[in-house]
Amino acid sequence: DFIKKVGLPEGLTIDELFISPRDNQPYEIRYKIRPGFPGPDSPVIMWEQTGDGSTRQVARASGAVIVVPEAEFAQLKPK
């Protein structure tokens, strides 16, 4: 509902917004995490399902989006 209210970037559909262009799969999303959690250790709230095979893009509650190696992702992924 929020996305429909604020709108999408030109030429992007709501389905495309939630698909990673790197692995063409829907992002895994953790809901009910408060955004804006400060610091480099803020919780991971969104990540690519498979990434590019050696790395994955990960979004933190702080708003930071980072690319991490698979080994690091395994430690960051919520249980």
Side-chain angles (χ1 to χ4, degrees):
D1 289 340
F2 173 78
I3 294 168
K4 289 177 184 175
K5 194 179 295 182
V6 298
L8 291 166
E10 185 75 26
L12 192 63
T13 68
I14 198 157
D15 290 333
E16 291 169 331
L17 185 64
F18 291 100
I19 303 286
S20 166
R22 291 172 17 119
D23 64 13
N24 295 312
Q25 296 181 47
Y27 291 105
E28 295 283 335
I29 301 172
R30 247 178 109 187
Y31 292 97
K32 298 185 180 181
I33 302 293
R34 197 174 123 240
F37 190 104
D41 295 326
S42 67
V44 170
I45 59 169
M46 192 166 81
W47 57 91
E48 292 176 306
Q49 286 190 42
T50 58
D52 68 2
S54 62
T55 63
R56 293 197 204 198
Q57 287 184 336
V58 177
R60 292 184 173 276
S62 66
V65 177
I66 57 175
V67 177
V68 298
E70 281 295 324
E72 186 177 338
F73 172 72
Q75 294 174 352
L76 292 175
K77 184 178 178 183
K79 306 283 186 265

